[in-house]
Amino acid sequence: MLGNTSGLRPAQLKSLSNLYRRRIEPGRVGSPELARNLAELSHAIRREISVLIDRRGRVLSVSVADAKGAELPDLRLGENRLAGFHLLHTHPRGGPLSKGDLSTLFLKRLDAVAAIEVRNEGQPGLVHTAHLTPPGTVGEEEDWRILDPVPSFQIDEFDLGAQVSALEEEIARAARTRESKKDRERAILVQIDQGEFDAEERLDELSELARTAGAEVVHRELVFRRHLKAGTLVGAGKLEELTSRAYHLDADLLIFGQELGPAQAREIEAATGLKILDRTQLILDIFALHAQGVESRLQVELAQLRYMKPRLLGAGAALSRIGGSAGSAAGGSIGTRGPGETKLELDRRRINDRLAFLEKQLEGVAVRREERRKTRSRNDVPVVSIVGYTNAGKSTLLNAFTHAAEEPRRVLAENKLFATLRPTSRQGFIEGIGPVVLTDTVGFIRDLPKDLARAFRATLEEIGDADVLLHVVDVAAPGADTRLDAVNRILEDLGFREMPTVIALNKAEAADPDVLEREVERTGGIPVSALKALGLNELKDAVADAVAGVQRQELALREEARERAAEYR
């Protein structure tokens, strides 16, 4: 396979083709004869020439390009194996291995990379060689070891085969040791800072999301970029740095705090060789992990399919695959001849059919929920909806309010994001009001993915049937004010911002006293600890006052309606 040969004369092309006939001793970097041929050709055309050589000493490809532009097969031989070939190329202007050479060695997991210096009159000079080092190696170079340069007539003295065998054995041994200790996926987090004041908080939240999803965070990176790169967001250099870090930390997952487009995810995955997720996929995964009831599962699947649908992309020949008859040219059976349906169209049609089915199922769930709400309304029992940022302690507060310490009344309360995905109602009692229904809702989060917001809108709209909102704020967490504002923005989008609201500043016992005092003054909230049952009486009094105010207002409206009806009669 000849690559990048434009502008060459026929005689030069023939000389390049003759390189395929060169065979070297297996397990060697090259031969003096091959080094001389490459140097002469490179001097003649004044361009770099790269040849790819397998472990049997055969030339696989010849490219008129540097190491980065060389034609390389797309092979995946597993994490414990190298590529199975090495790259030998020329440096017409002399000099040692470049940064690009070493990057290609590392990213492509080559057996080795070697550069031949070209001297005057096309004579080969020194040969520079480098190979990878096992993960976790401590030395001057993290990812590779550069050997001392040798004259071209000694190019075949280095036993590359033995070095590769020892290296792969070391990589496999290290992998087995790590695998025996590893019970979770190891993740590197990347949050891009475009000048936001809460970039650090967003990275902390991304870390908490990853932990909730079951990943072990081994490195966090806050990357400042005023302008994002179109294809990779952070640029090729930063991706190479992240790949190197993943290699040494045994990480197999790269999670971005920004939503990635389909093309961006593919390009980053191709550049790093790692599994790529964005924040939206991470949240969807957590929702799928925690979904318990029928409604939650339907909503999660609906959100996942809506996220997946625009990311169905055909690649090359995949678009020409035909479903059914295989097209008229293939001579399909009678009555089925025609263009058929591409694989991509089939996938889209199946997703559309599934979306329609899920939406119909959710309509039935919404009808049943509406009936339950009407029953509560006829009973004239006040309803208090507990809202707040995810993991603020809403479920713990509901358990404390209703004394539901034991199953089956106890509501799941975990130190994880989105532990509760479906609204859960429990009956409680408030002095001066009597029986009330307290409803624990789905936790909010800033920049809620639009697919999730749409899927859970019916659940969130149940908040509108409440008499009072109990807004729970984790005052001990950094950025409590920004989280409170994020919840208020979502409530405003749903049209519930003007509802009577009581603010509970939860986890007060763990909060900074100055922060707690400032938030009490700013929000008028009541410091409580749902876990330690502190401040609950004051909070119940505030809820009772709010409910009583709503009841007085409703009573006044009823009196006014009766008076108008009497006047009309």
Side-chain angles (χ1 to χ4, degrees):
M1 174 173 64
L2 281 175
N4 304 325
T5 57
S6 59
L8 299 184
R9 295 192 297 270
Q12 294 170 336
L13 288 172
K14 184 177 180 181
S15 298
L16 288 172
S17 299
N18 287 337
L19 292 174
Y20 283 102
R21 301 177 184 176
R22 305 295 183 198
R23 290 184 66 90
I24 66 173
E25 184 181 348
R28 305 296 165 176
V29 175
S31 66
E33 183 183 6
L34 179 59
R36 185 173 64 254
N37 292 152
L38 287 172
E40 290 172 353
L41 280 170
S42 183
H43 178 72
I45 65 177
R46 300 183 184 280
R47 290 162 69 180
E48 292 189 22
I49 299 176
S50 299
V51 294
L52 203 63
I53 303 170
D54 68 9
R55 293 178 183 177
R56 296 170 63 183
R58 300 175 302 177
V59 175
L60 299 180
S61 69
V62 180
S63 306
V64 181
D66 58 11
K68 281 194 171 182
E71 297 284 343
L72 301 177
D74 186 17
L75 295 178
R76 288 191 178 272
L77 300 175
E79 295 181 357
N80 303 333
R81 294 286 307 278
L82 300 180
F85 39 76
H86 67 275
L87 190 68
L88 178 64
H89 68 298
T90 60
H91 279 183
R93 298 182 181 179
L97 291 166
S98 66
K99 179 65 174 175
D101 297 338
L102 297 171
S103 296
T104 302
L105 166 70
F106 173 70
L107 295 175
K108 302 299 183 181
R109 295 176 67 87
L110 300 176
D111 290 357
V113 64
I116 304 169
E117 292 190 56
V118 179
R119 294 177 176 173
N120 295 333
E121 305 303 326
Q123 295 300 312
L126 293 175
V127 180
H128 303 266
T129 305
H131 61 78
L132 291 177
T133 56
T137 301
V138 178
E140 186 177 348
E141 298 289 351
E142 269 194 333
D143 305 322
W144 47 74
R145 181 178 295 120
I146 300 176
L147 306 179
D148 294 333
V150 299
S152 60
F153 60 82
Q154 295 179 353
I155 190 174
D156 56 354
E157 294 185 3
F158 176 62
D159 192 348
L160 179 61
Q163 176 61 45
V164 167
S165 297
L167 179 58
E168 286 191 334
E169 184 179 342
E170 183 65 28
I171 291 175
R173 185 185 301 113
R176 287 193 297 269
T177 303
R178 291 191 303 269
E179 195 64 32
S180 64
K181 299 178 181 178
K182 187 169 75 171
D183 57 350
R184 294 185 295 170
E185 287 186 276
R186 294 165 65 85
I188 290 178
L189 309 184
V190 181
Q191 177 68 46
I192 300 175
D193 178 9
Q194 292 186 275
E196 301 99 336
F197 69 93
D198 59 347
E200 284 280 0
E201 293 174 18
R202 289 175 180 269
L203 182 58
D204 291 339
E205 184 175 274
L206 186 65
S207 180
E208 189 64 22
L209 286 169
R211 184 186 71 85
T212 302
E216 180 184 353
V217 178
V218 296
H219 179 70
R220 308 182 346 159
E221 188 96 14
L222 188 63
V223 182
F224 179 78
R225 274 200 175 274
R226 182 69 68 181
H227 304 289
L228 300 179
K229 294 283 185 180
T232 61
L233 296 185
V234 295
K238 177 56 71 174
L239 285 184
E240 184 179 327
E241 179 184 324
L242 292 169
T243 306
S244 173
R245 197 173 291 276
Y247 178 72
H248 290 283
L249 294 174
D250 190 31
D252 43 21
L253 185 59
L254 193 58
I255 303 176
F256 281 81
Q258 280 70 20
E259 183 169 333
L260 301 175
Q264 290 173 327
R266 285 200 313 274
E267 188 167 343
I268 295 172
E269 184 175 357
T272 62
L274 300 171
K275 180 181 175 183
I276 306 300
L277 293 180
D278 61 14
R279 181 175 179 269
T280 300
Q281 287 174 286
L282 196 60
I283 293 175
L284 284 170
D285 187 73
I286 294 171
F287 271 59
L289 183 66
H290 290 171
Q292 298 295 330
V294 174
E295 182 184 6
S296 298
R297 289 172 181 162
L298 290 173
Q299 289 171 329
V300 169
E301 186 180 355
L302 186 66
Q304 287 176 321
L305 290 177
R306 280 175 172 159
Y307 180 83
M308 187 190 307
K309 183 180 174 182
R311 286 163 172 78
L312 283 178
L313 294 175
L319 283 174
S320 64
R321 289 181 295 177
I322 302 297
S325 68
S328 56
S333 58
I334 296 173
T336 64
R337 298 187 181 108
E341 192 171 23
T342 66
K343 178 69 166 59
L344 181 61
E345 290 167 346
L346 273 171
D347 290 341
R348 281 180 175 159
R349 183 163 60 83
R350 286 168 183 158
I351 284 183
N352 286 332
D353 291 345
R354 184 65 180 170
L355 283 171
F357 172 78
L358 292 173
E359 287 169 349
K360 188 173 181 180
Q361 292 289 311
L362 282 172
E363 286 176 6
V365 172
V367 170
R368 291 192 293 274
R369 191 195 302 118
E370 182 65 27
E371 290 298 323
R372 291 197 300 270
R373 287 205 297 259
K374 287 179 179 178
T375 302
R376 285 203 302 263
S377 179
R378 286 195 296 269
N379 294 336
D380 204 23
V381 178
V383 177
V384 177
S385 279
I386 304 176
V387 300
Y389 211 81
T390 182
N391 205 30
K394 301 183 299 299
S395 300
T396 305
L397 185 62
L398 175 62
N399 288 331
F401 255 44
T402 58
H403 305 290
E406 303 291 335
E407 295 287 357
R409 284 177 53 80
R410 183 177 179 273
V411 178
L412 176 67
E414 292 184 299
N415 185 24
K416 289 184 177 180
L417 305 186
F418 303 114
T420 302
L421 289 188
R422 57 177 178 173
T424 305
S425 297
R426 293 288 185 270
Q427 184 168 323
F429 184 87
I430 296 181
E431 193 72 32
I433 299 296
V436 297
V437 173
L438 294 111
T439 301
D440 183 17
T441 60
V442 178
F444 293 8
I445 194 169
R446 76 185 95 196
D447 303 328
L448 183 70
K450 58 181 180 296
D451 295 308
L452 278 177
R454 200 179 342 171
F456 281 82
R457 181 166 294 277
T459 302
L460 296 176
E461 283 176 350
E462 189 170 351
I463 298 170
D465 296 321
D467 297 286
V468 172
L469 297 184
L470 179 55
H471 186 167
V472 183
V473 180
D474 182 359
V475 74
D481 52 346
T482 59
R483 296 186 176 203
L484 184 145
D485 293 339
V487 173
N488 285 337
R489 282 195 296 272
I490 296 174
L491 291 173
E492 188 169 359
D493 291 341
L494 294 171
F496 305 145
R497 185 70 181 89
E498 301 304 320
M499 291 181 63
T501 303
V502 176
I503 296 178
L505 301 175
N506 194 25
K507 307 181 186 179
E509 82 287 356
D512 180 89
D514 294 335
V515 173
L516 180 61
E517 183 179 352
R518 184 175 68 245
E519 288 303 309
V520 168
E521 184 177 348
R522 188 176 77 92
T523 65
I526 299 169
V528 299
S529 172
L531 190 63
K532 296 183 180 296
L534 301 175
L536 296 184
N537 291 331
E538 292 82 355
L539 183 60
K540 287 181 179 180
D541 290 342
V543 172
D545 291 343
V547 171
V550 171
Q551 290 176 336
R552 286 193 297 271
Q553 186 176 4
E554 289 179 352
L555 185 61
L557 290 174
R558 288 173 187 170
E559 287 293 331
E560 184 179 351
R562 279 198 293 268
E563 291 175 1
R564 288 182 179 177
E567 290 176 2
Y568 178 77
R569 287 195 299 271

